[in-house]
Amino acid sequence: MTTPEPVDAADAAPVIEDPRRRRAILLAVCIALMAVVASVSGLNVAQPQLAVTFDASQGEVLWIINTYTLTLAALLLPLGAVGDRWGRKPVLLLGMAVFGIANIAAAIAPSVEVMLTARLLSGAGAAMIMPVTLSVITASFPDGERSKAIGVWTAVAGGGGILGMYLSALLVDVATWRWLFVLPIVLTIAAAVIAAGSVPNSREHAIGRFDIVGAITSIIAAVGFTYALHEAPALGWKAPLILGTLGAAIIATVVFIVWELRTPVPLLDVRHFSTRGLSSGSTLLLVLFGVQAGVSLVLYPFFQVVLGWSGLLSTLGMMPMALLMMFASGLAPRVAASIGARVTMATGLLIAGVGLALMAALVSVDGGYLTVLPGLIAMGLGAGLAMTPSTEAITSSLPREQQGVASALNDLTRELGAALGIALLGGLLTAGYQAAINPHLDGVPDSIADTARGGIANAAAVSQNAGPHADQLITAAQDAFITGWQQAMWVGVAVMAALFIYTVLRGPKTTPPGETNTETGSTVQTVRSS
């Protein structure tokens, strides 16, 4: 595959000095990002309605939801590189067009097949949009404003999913599941209108051919790991499909690394992972998003089954964490400028770890929501402080001509981290629940007891037909869920503690404003990768 001719320096990296235009650019990319992240989890609240509308099995419903995530994860790196080479603005606008049309098709889909196709195309459009939204900021904003803009971007990336899920749940409650797609369609149109007149048409010097081998192997690896992590909790880690998928992903990863080390123009030069910024930033985001996704997985059944809340109210219960995360993400650049990126990242991890410990120690059935609220507050503040300097550490670790790839790597790390957290913390919750409920099922008929062992939602459903054992079943299930919750949270605390130590030892160093990173040739404001 050939690439366009190199462009001149003015087209390669225009820095926008007009503050009004910078605000318009930031607004456009953040609205587009909001559309993408809201679509990741928006359909989760409409699973029953999807099953009824299409007469679909639970497996088909999950494919409708996960096809978007798989496609997004698979195409992030290749399309991030395409944006660098062929122009960020045209790739962004093309992505918006594909994304918007795909969401319109999904809204009017008459069958499962049409819905799956629409979700696949929507994921492809999102993979064009997401890395460009960040690379436009890193390539176009001057040093003094870049960190602030990345903070705003991080706030939307971190909290936008929960806000999107709340709006989606509201639309399902007041209208129908098909109205879920109105939100991303409207956001995409608004972002396209603003971006058309504000986002610069920038691309970097294209040297050599596009790395097709790297692109193909990265797609196989991303799809393999994401699929296996999503499906392993349901199918089991020893299932042949899971083992085969993981094996293919591992082989593809090895081939990718070997090829990237040998090819003269790599899709992603893996040597950059030896730098502090890229290694610590990507590790932090991988773990932090994993823990956050695992916490969300645990919280929703607690709200809905233990406390008896609706889906809308359950999502509202997550808002303190989302809003404080967004607030802290915007505050983080100023904190990092004062005390350094590494200390800011470590402080955020410490606060988030305390939040997990509070959720493990205080949670109770009788205490309800107030027993988890302090932990949610601390998690939001800590995550927001840690994520912004981590994102900037990643983008500043790669050369300016690879900002699309850097942005895509940042996004892919978040996606894989979320899948990993759901698989591992969800597995710990399930194992803890099953071990804790068994001693409390004495006297319960075997058929009912077997169903109750499947999870707290199963126990709540079967208790309606359990007669005199109903109260015993509900109490046992709630207590067992709390036990599994605590085990998962304490493991999360241990993981965060290890990450805290790693960040203290290997976090990015501070670079004076305007100093050039000698490893990448990039001019950065607050962090370096040495």
Side-chain angles (χ1 to χ4, degrees):
M1 181 183 298
T2 59
T3 59
E5 290 299 315
V7 296
D8 60 33
D11 289 334
V15 174
I16 306 302
E17 301 294 345
D18 182 2
R20 289 183 297 178
R21 187 178 178 189
R22 287 201 303 265
R23 286 193 291 269
I25 293 171
L26 186 59
L27 180 62
V29 298
C30 284
I31 292 175
L33 178 65
M34 179 67 182
V36 169
V37 298
S39 296
V40 172
S41 55
L43 275 184
N44 286 341
V45 301
Q47 292 187 46
Q49 292 88 342
L50 288 170
V52 171
T53 300
F54 296 120
D55 191 22
S57 67
Q58 181 63 25
E60 289 174 324
V61 170
L62 290 177
W63 268 111
I64 290 173
I65 294 171
N66 291 334
T67 294
Y68 176 84
T69 307
L70 284 171
T71 309
L72 173 61
L75 297 178
L76 276 170
L77 275 180
L79 293 181
V82 167
D84 285 338
R85 284 172 165 258
W86 297 348
R88 297 184 178 106
K89 183 174 183 176
V91 169
L92 176 63
L93 294 177
L94 176 61
M96 289 179 182
V98 173
F99 184 77
I101 293 170
N103 275 282
I104 293 173
I108 61 176
S111 65
V112 170
E113 292 76 15
V114 174
M115 175 62 83
L116 286 170
T117 302
R119 292 290 284 173
L120 185 139
L121 291 174
S122 182
M128 296 183 209
I129 296 170
M130 197 171 186
V132 174
T133 59
L134 182 56
S135 65
V136 163
I137 292 173
T138 57
S140 303
F141 278 60
D143 292 341
E145 300 295 326
R146 190 177 301 127
S147 292
K148 299 175 187 177
I150 290 176
V152 176
W153 184 95
T154 304
V156 175
I162 296 175
L163 289 174
M165 185 177 288
Y166 173 75
L167 293 174
S168 297
L170 183 63
L171 287 169
V172 170
D173 276 8
V174 302
T176 171
W177 68 266
R178 293 189 184 274
W179 281 86
L180 289 176
F181 298 99
V182 171
L183 178 63
I185 291 169
V186 170
L187 290 174
T188 302
I189 293 172
V193 170
I194 301 171
S198 62
V199 172
N201 187 15
S202 64
R203 55 191 172 109
E204 306 300 337
H205 288 284
I207 303 173
R209 294 179 176 271
F210 184 78
D211 184 7
I212 297 177
V213 174
I216 293 173
T217 52
S218 73
I219 289 172
I220 295 172
V223 170
F225 283 124
T226 305
Y227 176 83
L229 291 170
H230 272 295
E231 299 299 320
L235 300 179
W237 287 98
K238 296 181 180 180
L241 180 59
I242 298 302
L243 291 176
T245 304
L246 280 175
I250 291 171
I251 292 171
T253 302
V254 172
V255 173
F256 176 80
I257 293 172
V258 172
W259 175 261
E260 297 303 287
L261 289 172
R262 293 170 61 89
T263 185
V265 188
L267 183 74
L268 170 63
D269 190 346
V270 294
R271 296 176 185 86
H272 288 300
F273 279 99
S274 64
T275 65
R276 285 175 173 264
L278 191 58
S279 59
S280 63
S282 56
T283 302
L284 187 148
L285 289 180
L286 180 78
V287 174
L288 192 56
F289 268 78
V291 170
Q292 279 190 304
V295 168
S296 298
L297 180 74
V298 171
L299 281 171
Y300 275 104
F302 177 75
F303 290 154
Q304 293 180 298
V305 183
V306 176
L307 302 185
W309 288 8
S310 66
L312 183 62
L313 187 58
S314 298
T315 307
L316 188 61
M318 297 284 287
M319 282 298 172
M321 182 172 70
L323 295 177
L324 286 169
M325 186 190 312
M326 297 177 80
F327 168 76
S329 294
L331 183 65
R334 281 182 284 176
V335 177
S338 299
I339 64 176
R342 176 167 42 177
V343 177
T344 304
M345 291 161 64
T347 302
L349 289 173
L350 182 62
I351 295 172
V354 169
L356 283 177
L358 289 173
M359 281 194 274
L362 299 180
V363 64
S364 71
V365 176
D366 295 334
Y369 181 66
L370 292 180
T371 63
V372 300
L373 182 58
L376 287 174
I377 291 173
M379 272 292 296
L381 285 172
L385 280 177
M387 286 191 300
T388 299
S390 299
T391 298
E392 188 171 9
I394 292 173
T395 57
S396 64
S397 296
L398 267 68
R400 196 175 187 86
E401 65 270 15
Q402 287 193 311
Q403 283 305 291
V405 174
S407 304
L409 179 63
N410 172 78
D411 302 333
L412 181 59
T413 299
R414 294 164 183 254
E415 295 295 326
L416 291 178
L420 181 64
I422 289 173
L424 297 185
L425 291 186
L428 288 169
L429 172 65
T430 300
Y433 170 86
Q434 292 174 343
I437 198 173
N438 281 328
H440 300 286
L441 295 177
D442 294 338
V444 177
D446 289 343
S447 61
I448 295 177
D450 288 342
T451 301
R453 291 187 186 98
I456 190 170
N458 305 66
V462 79
S463 67
Q464 298 175 8
N465 302 315
H469 300 289
D471 290 341
Q472 174 190 355
L473 205 59
I474 288 296
T475 301
Q478 290 179 340
D479 291 342
F481 182 83
I482 295 301
T483 299
W485 164 304
Q486 291 174 321
Q487 290 181 8
M489 291 301 102
W490 284 122
V491 169
V493 171
V495 171
M496 294 291 277
L499 181 61
F500 171 80
I501 294 171
Y502 172 78
T503 302
V504 169
L505 297 177
R506 288 287 301 169
K509 293 179 179 179
T510 301
T511 297
E515 181 178 315
T516 299
N517 187 325
T518 57
E519 293 183 317
T520 66
S522 302
T523 302
V524 295
Q525 182 192 8
T526 58
V527 297
R528 70 177 179 179
S529 309
S530 58

